[in-house]
């Protein structure tokens, strides 16, 4: 099973993850971005916001992020200025939410609810729509889309921390074997590393029995 190429579809899909060096999505007690966001990284985030992504997410991420976005918009939220701007800005971004438990209409602006199978829905979206798609959190959704061969780009931004004691949400548990061809890399603020790949899901290790 290989990934579907951008040339074979109208919309392209990127898995986009922010992780610690040891592969956790978050860590108890740590601030957002592990407290290490710098001006170069924040400027890059601002540029990314202008690329017109439609974000894909599951129900748990929807509940979490919509609540945080609403909280960030309130006075005295406790979020930093950068975190608040990032969270409140998500209200204006088109979002597709995959859930069998949520009901339409969704309260978070610009959110479209899909109740059916997420893999088949994304397969259809890639075939019938245009523009870039990106995941937002939603680790199980990312895993399912990658395993189905629907991902055109796999991007991780690695923050230089190890959160072996406090880390939660292990990224790669349950993943298939995947080969990764480097498409882009860069360093922000002398410490944050971006790695972007073209993924291909493997049926067996290279050189192994097919």
């Amino acid at each position: 099973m290989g990934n579907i190429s951008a040339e074979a579809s109208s919309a392209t899909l990127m898995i986009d993850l922010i992780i610690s060096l040891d592969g956790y999505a978050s860590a108890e007690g740590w601030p957002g971005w592990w407290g290490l966001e710098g001006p170069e990284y924040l400027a890059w985030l601002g540029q990314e916001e202008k690329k017109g992504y439609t974000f894909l997410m599951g129900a748990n991420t929807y509940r979490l992020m919509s609540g945080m976005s609403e909280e960030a918009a309130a006075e005295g939220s406790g979020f930093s200025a950068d975190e608040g701007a990032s969270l409140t800005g998500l209200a204006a971004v088109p979002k597709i939410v995959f859930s069998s438990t949520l009901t339409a209409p969704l309260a978070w602006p610009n959110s479209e609810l899909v109740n059916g199978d997420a893999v088949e829905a994304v397969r259809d979206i890639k075939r019938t729509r245009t523009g870039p798609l990106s995941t937002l959190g939603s680790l199980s959704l990312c895993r399912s889309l990658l395993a189905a061969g629907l991902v055109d780009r796999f991007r991780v931004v690695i923050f230089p921390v190890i959160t072996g004691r406090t880390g939660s949400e292990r990224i790669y548990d349950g993943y298939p074997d995947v080969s990764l061809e480097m498409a882009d890399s860069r360093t922000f603020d002398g410490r944050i590393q971006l790695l972007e790949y073209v993924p291909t899901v493997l049926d067996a290790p290279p050189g192994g029995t097919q």
Side-chain angles (χ1 to χ4, degrees):
M1 180 189 302
N3 65 304
I4 296 176
S5 68
E7 290 78 11
S9 63
S10 297
T12 58
L13 171 60
M14 178 170 63
I15 284 180
D16 195 18
L17 300 170
I18 298 172
I19 67 173
S20 64
L21 182 61
D22 52 340
Y24 286 98
S26 61
E28 183 178 355
W30 289 72
W33 296 310
W34 288 274
L36 294 174
E37 71 277 15
E40 291 179 2
Y41 178 64
L42 294 173
W44 175 79
L45 285 179
Q47 294 169 1
E48 286 293 293
E49 292 172 359
K50 300 174 183 178
K51 292 185 177 180
Y53 289 108
T54 295
F55 287 118
L56 312 182
M57 69 189 77
N60 290 338
T61 297
Y62 171 83
R63 294 186 182 100
L64 174 65
M65 298 304 296
S66 61
M68 291 175 66
S69 180
E70 182 177 358
E71 181 184 352
E75 187 174 350
S77 66
F79 290 105
S80 70
D82 293 318
E83 286 178 312
S86 179
L87 288 167
T88 56
L90 287 172
V93 177
K95 299 167 286 287
I96 301 175
V97 183
F98 302 96
S99 173
S100 60
T101 58
L102 296 172
T103 56
L106 296 174
W108 203 11
N110 299 298
S111 297
E112 172 187 351
L113 178 63
V114 175
N115 293 122
D117 179 77
V119 168
E120 290 308 312
V122 172
R123 198 185 307 277
D124 184 64
I125 289 168
K126 290 193 66 183
R127 185 174 59 249
T128 59
R129 303 193 191 186
T130 59
L133 308 169
S134 177
T135 57
L136 180 64
S138 307
L139 301 185
S140 61
L141 175 64
C142 293
R143 184 169 56 245
S144 297
L145 296 177
L146 182 68
L150 293 174
V151 177
D152 301 289
R153 290 288 190 274
F154 189 90
R155 185 169 73 187
V156 294
V157 177
I158 304 171
F159 282 73
V161 295
I162 293 174
T163 55
R165 182 172 60 84
T166 57
S168 61
E169 299 183 290
R170 286 176 58 87
I171 296 292
Y172 303 120
D173 287 354
Y175 264 54
D177 287 358
V178 184
S179 68
L180 300 167
E181 179 183 352
M182 181 71 75
D184 190 17
S185 66
R186 64 184 74 179
T187 301
F188 303 110
D189 304 297
R191 58 178 179 263
I192 303 168
Q193 185 72 48
L194 177 148
L195 301 171
E196 183 174 333
Y197 301 97
V198 177
T200 300
V201 178
L202 303 176
D203 295 318
T209 302
Q210 299 293 322

